[in-house]
Amino acid sequence: MRNPVQQTPLFPEPEQPGRILDARLHLLDRQVLDVDGVPVTTVDDLELEAVENLPGERTTMLTAILTGPVLATRVFGGRPPASRWVRLPWSVVTDVGTALHLGVRGASLDATWTERWVRDHVIARIPGGRHDPG
């Protein structure tokens, strides 16, 4: 007896422009390194935008990496307010591998302001904290 549901052959998806990434596998919680290989931050969240390619056809594009003070929200739950996120535009990312590499220096980004503040206001006050002994 023949199956009442007609079998249609499955065709592979057409090739998409750009690179397809699995956010959880390739991006979230990855270390971000600046152009000199210096650690800057980690990827805490992503900013996505819906873009219409053709009339009636929408695609989601990654526009920015979000980072910020999320430790307390991971422990206690919830989300930090949008004003607390530091936004790194996706256009500054040059490579995605075991870490994300940026094409700019980390010192020029707002993501490192807490480290700079601790360095200048806490570490610098410790005797010997203003110079590298090496």
Side-chain angles (χ1 to χ4, degrees):
M1 176 161 224
R2 197 169 166 188
N3 189 352
V5 178
Q6 187 172 354
Q7 298 291 328
T8 58
L10 296 175
F11 297 104
E13 269 193 51
E15 190 67 29
Q16 298 291 326
R19 184 172 176 187
I20 297 175
L21 298 172
D22 182 326
R24 224 183 270 175
L25 179 64
H26 296 112
L27 300 173
L28 293 175
D29 294 325
R30 293 289 175 127
Q31 180 120 32
V32 178
L33 305 174
D34 73 357
V35 72
D36 299 321
V38 176
V40 176
T41 188
T42 58
V43 179
D44 294 313
D45 207 349
L46 303 170
E47 181 179 272
L48 303 173
E49 182 179 317
V51 177
E52 191 167 326
N53 288 345
L54 300 170
E57 188 176 309
R58 297 177 72 114
T59 302
T60 303
M61 285 184 48
L62 177 60
T63 57
I65 296 168
L66 302 176
T67 186
V70 296
L71 179 61
T73 58
R74 285 187 178 180
V75 172
F76 301 113
R79 289 182 60 84
S83 62
R84 300 297 304 257
W85 287 111
V86 175
R87 188 177 178 277
L88 302 175
W90 183 251
S91 60
V92 300
V93 176
T94 59
D95 185 42
V96 177
T98 55
L100 272 69
H101 296 270
L102 304 178
V104 296
R105 294 194 190 285
S108 67
L109 303 171
D110 287 339
T112 60
W113 77 266
T114 52
E115 290 184 34
R116 290 192 309 266
W117 187 90
V118 169
R119 179 194 64 208
D120 297 341
H121 293 90
V122 178
I123 304 298
R125 295 178 187 265
I126 298 172
R130 291 191 184 269
H131 69 281
D132 183 11

